[in-house]
């Protein structure tokens, strides 16, 4: 495809204006790469850890070592990392069911949790937390997008919740992601108000965006998907939960069966892509962040509202662009698909998706189906018609894709 000269100039100008942010992103990638390398070295990862296993998976050293490496990278006591975890929603549901008991209360202090958790928390007669008599309430973020500290502290004192839930990334809401420092401040206040309350962070899209993870600053559990940041674009499926040893043991018991925990569970295809993906993840995330910064600059300069605002640093890998126009939103997503290495010949349309209430359009021409560390765009079809763009295994791909979107939108 030949591109219009004016569009090439828009992209090159945006690139030049982004160089300062790119150098900050590179600094963080270096710190995280060192962290990951140190964890591989400390655990003496070897080729034998990559082999597949079958059946029960007793003494599966690939699995056990992978869990150790993840725990070390995240500064956590322990971790469950498994291809048996279907996706991020499964990982979050698993962690909540592992820790919460009938009669317990948990509160979200980052507003309504991610869409796919709605039914997990309050579905009726489907085995939801509510069916198991777990009480839930949520506290909206303040207007500036930060955790409402006073409300949080008074509700923790009053309700003595078993668990406080914090979603790091924006999900499908119009706010910036919380920084690890924001989460650390809240965790401190929550623990002061009630030391027994556990803090769990939905870490999806947040891994390696900063030099630290929430587990290093007061979170008892962090949870994420391996087809997002932490899988580095290589992991073909799976999820992880990292945190305090006793809690991880409950999680493992819930993943397989109580008392069996992480002693069982095989992986026929082997663990190579999980290790390789984690090793690549710091740089892959840096590429995704640069892609986000570039799109933010391009569309910000064209007059669209984007979050984070053009030129501002990112706390997650998501770039939201407000189109205020259903047709433009759909065209944008279709252009991302058209510029994908896989399935470039198909045209995504808004569709009903399991776990979502609105129709959703998803552009994900990815090597790993639905992977959103790869360049992808997805949006619930509802006003103000916001595109949520994320990923980009290589920055160069995002740059080319940006040209496709400009051509398709005819700007
Ligand atoms: C992706 C995501 C999830 C889980 O979604 P899956 O599609 O099930 O992996 C949960 N929370 C946030 C913030 C997410 O970005």
């Amino acid at each position: 495809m030949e591109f219009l000269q004016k569009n090439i100039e828009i992209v090159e100008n945006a690139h030049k204006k982004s160089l300062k942010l790119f150098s900050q992103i590179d600094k963080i990638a270096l710190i995280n790469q060192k962290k990951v390398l140190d964890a591989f070295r400390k655990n003496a990862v070897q080729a034998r850890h990559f082999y597949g296993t079958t059946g029960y998976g007793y003494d599966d050293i690939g699995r056990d070592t992978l869990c150790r490496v993840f725990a070390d990278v995240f500064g956590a006591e322990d971790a469950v990392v498994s291809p048996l975890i279907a996706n991020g929603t499964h990982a979050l549901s698993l962690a909540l069911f592992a820790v919460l008991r009938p009669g317990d209360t948990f509160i979200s202090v980052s507003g309504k949790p991610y869409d796919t958790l709605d039914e997990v928390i309050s579905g009726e007669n489907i085995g939801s937390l509510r069916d198991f008599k777990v009480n839930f309430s949520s506290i909206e973020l303040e207007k500036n997008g930060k955790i409402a500290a006073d409300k949080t502290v008074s509700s923790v004192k009053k309700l003595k919740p078993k668990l406080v839930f914090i979603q790091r990334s924006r999900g499908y809401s119009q706010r910036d992601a919380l920084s690890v420092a924001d989460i650390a401040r809240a965790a401190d206040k929550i623990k002061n108000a009630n030391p027994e309350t556990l803090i769990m962070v939905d870490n999806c899209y947040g891994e390696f965006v900063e030099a630290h993870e929430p587990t290093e600053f007061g979170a008892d559990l962090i949870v994420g998907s391996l087809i997002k940041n932490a899988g580095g674009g290589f992991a073909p499926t799976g999820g992880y939960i990292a945190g305090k040893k006793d809690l991880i043991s409950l999680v493992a018991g819930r993943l397989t069966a109580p008392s069996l925990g992480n002693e069982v569970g095989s992986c026929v295809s082997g663990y190579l892509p999980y290790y390789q993906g984690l090793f690549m993840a710091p740089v892959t995330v840096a590429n995704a962040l640069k892609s986000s910064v570039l799109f933010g600059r391009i569309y910000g300069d064209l007059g669209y509202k984007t979050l984070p605002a053009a030129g501002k640093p990112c706390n997650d890998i998501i770039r939201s662009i407000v189109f205020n126009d259903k047709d433009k939103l759909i065209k944008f997503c279709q252009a991302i698909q058209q510029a994908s290495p896989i399935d470039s010949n198909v045209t995504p349309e808004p569709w009903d998706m399991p776990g979502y209430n609105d129709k959703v359009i998803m552009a994900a021409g990815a090597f790993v189906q639905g992977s959103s560390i790869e360049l992808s765009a997805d949006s619930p079809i509802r006003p103000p018609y916001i595109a949520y763009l994320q990923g980009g295994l290589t920055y160069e791909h995002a740059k080319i894709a940006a040209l496709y979107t400009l051509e398709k939108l005819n700007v």
Side-chain angles (χ1 to χ4, degrees), residues 240-290:
Y240 76 86
I241 296 134
K244 294 276 158 59
K245 206 171 183 61
D246 53 333
L247 302 175
I248 292 300
S249 160
L250 289 173
V251 169
R254 173 84 198 183
L255 173 63
T256 62
S259 90
L260 300 184
N262 218 18
E263 302 292 320
V264 296
S266 53
C267 176
V268 178
S269 58
Y271 296 96
L272 175 61
Y274 299 93
Y275 285 99
Q276 196 167 8
L278 178 63
F279 183 73
M280 293 299 292
V283 169
T284 308
V285 169
N287 286 333
L289 287 169
K290 288 176 186 174

Side-chain angles (χ1 to χ4, degrees), residues 87-90 92 114 116-117 167 169-171 202 204-205 225 227-228 318 356:
N87 57 19
T89 308
H90 182 198
L92 288 157
Y114 193 71
T116 59
L117 290 177
Q167 182 182 306
S169 150
R170 79 201 57 231
D202 175 350
C204 284
Y205 288 136
S225 162
I227 62 166
K228 294 180 178 174
I318 305 179
Y356 297 90

Side-chain angles (χ1 to χ4, degrees), residues 219-234:
D220 298 289
L221 286 173
I222 58 173
V223 183
S225 162
L226 295 185
I227 62 166
K228 294 180 178 174
N229 302 19
F234 282 73

Side-chain angles (χ1 to χ4, degrees), residues 350-369:
W351 211 254
D352 292 312
M353 303 267 304
Y356 297 90
N357 290 328
D358 297 284
K359 279 193 169 28
V360 179
I361 183 164
M362 292 215 168
F367 291 92
V368 171
Q369 291 279 298

Side-chain angles (χ1 to χ4, degrees), residues 170 173-177 292-293 295-296 299-300 304-310 312-322 386-389:
R170 79 201 57 231
S173 58
Q174 262 306 71
R175 59 145 167 124
D176 276 329
S292 165
V293 166
F295 271 88
Y299 281 89
Y304 293 91
K305 184 173 180 226
T306 92
L307 269 181
K312 287 276 176 338
C314 309
N315 289 331
D316 66 7
I317 66 165
I318 305 179
R319 168 69 45 179
S320 54
I321 304 168
V322 184
I386 303 166
Y388 295 87
L389 174 87

